[in-house]
């Protein structure tokens, strides 16, 4: 997949730039090669080392006092979501991306005032981003430093989507054998 973004130059800095999709709710297991295991953002990633990580989609959610964007993973080469049988889908970056996966929609996280207002969806929301802005936004502190602001500039997001079977596929080999 190739997405070309041409944001309106008059926009303020952006929180993220990418695509969002829904997957079946049983695709709730996750494995990725990138920064982890905890959430990390451009200005908060030095403690998140590159490696192979796994968990459930529910594990990725951070319980902040006020629900908000959370659980992002930066510098990801590939991510796989799969069901209990191991059947899943592999997203491989060209070269890398940021992502998060939730049991809640982005709109649910935006509209909820308190965590008890969140209700798990019947689908997994997966965001794959070419870039994310730094943390801050003055919701509970200062704005991000200028070098971590995501400006409304043209960008390209490329990744390959392939079926994969957890435990049977060598995901490193599968991710390397991508079309040019």
């Amino acid at each position: 997949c190739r997405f070309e973004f041409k944001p309106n130059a008059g926009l303020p800095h952006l929180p993220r730039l990418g695509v969002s999709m829904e997957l079946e709710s049983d695709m709730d297991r996750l494995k990725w090669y990138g920064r982890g295991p905890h959430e990390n953002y451009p200005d908060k990633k030095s403690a998140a080392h590159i490696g192979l990580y796994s968990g459930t989609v529910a594990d990725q959610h951070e319980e902040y006092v006020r629900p908000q964007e959370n659980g992002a993973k930066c510098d990801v080469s590939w991510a796989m979501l799969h069901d209990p049988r191991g059947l899943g889908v592999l997203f491989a970056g060209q070269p890398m991306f940021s992502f998060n996966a939730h049991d809640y929609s982005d709109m649910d996280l935006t509209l909820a005032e308190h965590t008890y207002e969140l209700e798990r969806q019947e689908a997994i929301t997966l965001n794959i981003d070419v870039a994310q802005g730094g943390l801050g936004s003055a919701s509970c502190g200062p704005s991000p430093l200028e070098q971590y602001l995501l400006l409304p500039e043209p960008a390209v997001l490329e990744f390959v989507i392939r079926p994969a079977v957890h435990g049977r596929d060598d995901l490193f080999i599968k991710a390397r054998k991508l079309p040019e």
Side-chain angles (χ1 to χ4, degrees):
C1 300
R2 178 182 168 90
F3 299 90
E4 293 184 31
F5 300 98
K6 297 176 184 170
N8 183 327
L11 292 172
H13 65 271
L14 306 172
R16 69 169 4 124
L17 189 59
V19 296
S20 183
M21 62 192 83
E22 287 187 353
L23 301 174
E24 294 291 327
S25 61
D26 65 347
M27 304 275 277
D28 62 349
R29 278 105 174 141
L30 181 62
K31 191 170 195 173
W32 73 97
Y33 184 77
R35 292 195 182 270
H38 48 77
E39 74 173 4
N40 53 88
Y41 290 83
D43 57 346
K44 184 186 168 189
K45 67 182 186 179
S46 61
H49 302 287
I50 300 282
L52 182 60
Y53 300 99
S54 63
T56 65
V57 169
D59 291 341
Q60 308 315 305
H61 182 75
E62 296 289 338
E63 290 284 334
Y64 291 115
V65 173
R66 182 182 175 125
Q68 57 190 285
E69 155 63 31
N70 70 83
K73 311 296 189 283
C74 292
D75 303 331
V76 173
S77 296
W78 59 263
M80 178 188 180
L81 284 93
H82 63 90
D83 67 13
R85 298 170 298 167
L87 303 176
V89 62
L90 173 73
F91 298 86
Q94 299 286 325
M96 291 189 286
F97 55 82
S98 294
F99 84 97
N100 68 7
H102 285 290
D103 295 322
Y104 313 105
S105 72
D106 292 335
M107 190 56 71
D108 290 341
L109 291 169
T110 299
L111 294 177
E113 296 282 328
H114 309 284
T115 54
Y116 68 83
E117 296 171 343
L118 291 174
E119 291 183 27
R120 285 195 168 21
Q121 292 187 144
E122 290 298 316
I124 302 296
T125 297
L126 174 67
N127 295 304
I128 298 181
D129 300 310
V130 66
Q132 284 203 338
L135 296 177
S137 73
S139 65
C140 59
S143 293
L145 296 174
E146 189 170 329
Q147 68 262 34
Y148 298 114
L149 295 176
L150 180 55
L151 302 176
E153 298 173 339
V156 174
L157 171 63
E158 287 187 81
F159 58 90
V160 173
I161 304 172
R162 287 211 166 153
V165 179
H166 182 265
R168 285 202 213 150
D169 286 327
D170 182 330
L171 298 178
F172 285 100
I173 291 171
K174 185 166 253 193
R176 277 195 302 264
K177 291 183 179 179
L178 300 173
E180 295 296 323

